[in-house]
Amino acid sequence: MNPFKQVVTTEGEIRELIGFPSEVVQKKTIHELDSHCRAFIAMSPLLFMATSDAQGNCDVSPRGDAPGFVYILDNDHMVIPERPGNRRIDSLRNILSNPRVGLIFLIPGLEETLRVNGEAYVIKDDELLEQMKVNDKKPLLGIGVRVNEAYIHCAKSFKRSGAWNKDSWSDQGRLPSIPHMISAHVNSEPFTVEKIRDGLKESYEKRMY
């Protein structure tokens, strides 16, 4: 049974409640990476990338490294290195079937974020991937992005959440135990909490690049 009893089905219904964006919001979108966007990206150590497949099944994946890890070719193109992960390749598979991609760039301590929408390509251009070596290890693949839109997103979500305010963070002892969660989700006898914990430790220490 659907627990939602009052489902909104038209934009008009939403507009009646929410209203319309201000002139600044309507005009702030640009269609390339100007000097301000490039400087923002150069300081960002973390982004979130949204993709979906041809059927509309969605995925959001974090990408992070030292600030400047995203390589900007020009005002219209950038490359995100594909560092070692869990080999699910959800984002890459989605891009192969639907190139539309949405990115949110974060800078720790800054509550506004930069949003970039565009078209993505899975690339293996050696001359570009060479630019993104870390510890003398070149990424095997990259995600090339052609920019369609770029704009600053307001800080309200970060202000409401207090995400950058360390005083609002939970004590370490209260945080979810990731090994326990993964072991429960895998639900297979050989994969104990201890085995999962050791596997995560080995991955983080030896397979970052």
Side-chain angles (χ1 to χ4, degrees), residues 59-74:
D59 180 75
V60 177
S61 176
R63 295 290 192 276
D65 213 322
F69 75 100
V70 174
Y71 183 69
I72 299 176
L73 282 74
D74 53 41

Side-chain angles (χ1 to χ4, degrees), residues 27-80:
K27 291 184 174 180
K28 70 179 179 178
T29 300
I30 61 175
H31 303 285
E32 63 176 11
L33 299 178
D34 68 355
S35 59
H36 300 289
C37 293
R38 294 166 74 129
F40 194 111
I41 293 170
M43 294 185 65
S44 173
L46 179 65
L47 66 88
F48 291 89
M49 179 168 57
T51 59
S52 63
D53 63 19
Q55 288 73 47
N57 300 300
C58 298
D59 180 75
V60 177
S61 176
R63 295 290 192 276
D65 213 322
F69 75 100
V70 174
Y71 183 69
I72 299 176
L73 282 74
D74 53 41
N75 287 0
D76 300 309
H77 301 90
M78 69 178 86
V79 181
I80 303 165

